[in-house]
Amino acid sequence: MQRVILTWTDPSAPSPSAVDWAEREARLHGVPVRVVQGSPPDPGRAKMIVCGVPHGARTAGAETGSRLPAAVRAADRPLVLVPDGTAPPRPSGQVVLGTDARHPADDVIAFAFDSARRRDALLHVVHTWSLPSCAAEWPFGVPERERAAWEDHEVQLLADVLRPWRERYPHVPVYEDVTLLTPARALAHHAERASLVVVGADPGTGWGEVVRTLLREAACPVAVVPARRTP
């Protein structure tokens, strides 16, 4: 049975941007696109589900999620949220992946690598970290040598996670980015130059701060992929 790109639109607030994005994605995958209006879609045959969402600082991510049908929010498929008014992707637009190198999710990483491959795009992988609790014990701040050692450890963690994926996708250029920021702030910043941002979400849970921030601030589509963590 052939898979499809499933697009859901609310008849009271149609989203041509979501339909346009889904049609381009369907061509990249070589599968048909199916547009469903109003009634909750059946995600059984879907490779992914694409939905249009409001965009702007006044939009709350939690409220946006509550407007989507429960069948969409609970579907065990990648859910791509396309902000209203999204322009066609720029040729130089990169795919940005937010990942936790300590608890990587293979399905999320695979989706990001495949998306970059199909677009001939740079994959910008963002891993964020924070200073360990013992840093608060330094009375005059953290010595540069200690901070550099901690950061080198984080860089090595990310490199180890991505090594097998680089071997599997040798033609995908990858930029490994380890940054001392919160995930929400780091991804919102890099979304400015992205054609797609990919994040993971634990199945059956609500959207976290990362997704809510991206829905408020990012002008590009956000792919929320069910995260099955590597033990």
Side-chain angles (χ1 to χ4, degrees):
M1 181 180 295
Q2 189 176 28
R3 307 291 290 278
V4 300
I5 305 294
L6 184 61
T7 309
W8 181 83
T9 63
D10 186 342
S12 64
S15 179
S17 295
V19 175
D20 290 346
W21 191 92
E23 289 175 345
R24 289 193 296 270
E25 191 72 8
R27 288 194 293 271
L28 288 174
H29 287 263
V31 299
V33 61
R34 178 183 169 213
V35 179
V36 177
Q37 288 189 330
S39 60
D42 176 9
R45 293 175 51 209
K47 288 179 68 69
M48 68 183 70
I49 301 174
V50 180
C51 297
V53 294
H55 171 61
R58 293 176 295 177
T59 299
E63 293 177 3
T64 296
S66 67
R67 295 190 187 106
L68 300 178
V72 170
R73 299 196 307 272
D76 188 22
R77 298 285 187 276
L79 175 61
V80 181
L81 305 168
V82 181
D84 293 340
T86 296
R90 295 166 295 180
S92 60
Q94 58 190 236
V95 174
V96 174
L97 166 64
T99 191
D100 180 352
R102 288 182 174 78
H103 306 286
D106 286 350
D107 288 352
V108 182
I109 297 173
F111 185 94
F113 266 89
D114 184 67
S115 296
R117 177 185 67 84
R118 294 178 188 276
R119 291 167 170 78
D120 293 322
L122 170 72
L123 178 60
H124 184 162
V125 184
V126 179
H127 165 63
T128 65
W129 67 291
S130 57
L131 295 173
S133 57
C134 64
E137 300 173 5
W138 296 92
F140 302 108
V142 178
E144 184 61 30
R145 183 174 63 181
E146 296 292 334
R147 184 188 182 284
W150 289 331
E151 186 169 22
D152 287 346
H153 177 66
E154 300 295 328
V155 169
Q156 189 60 53
L157 283 176
L158 182 59
D160 290 343
V161 166
L162 294 180
R163 186 174 299 110
W165 295 98
R166 283 178 171 272
E167 294 173 356
R168 190 178 304 180
Y169 293 89
H171 300 299
V172 174
V174 179
Y175 174 58
E176 300 179 12
D177 188 358
V178 174
T179 182
L180 191 62
L181 290 172
T182 66
R185 291 268 46 91
L187 292 174
H189 171 70
H190 293 304
E192 296 175 1
R193 297 181 296 277
S195 60
L196 178 68
V197 177
V198 181
V199 296
D202 293 329
T205 65
W207 291 340
E209 179 61 25
V210 171
V211 177
R212 292 196 297 269
T213 299
L214 288 170
L215 289 181
R216 287 195 304 269
E217 301 184 19
C220 68
V222 177
V224 183
V225 183
R228 299 174 182 85
R229 306 288 176 181
T230 301

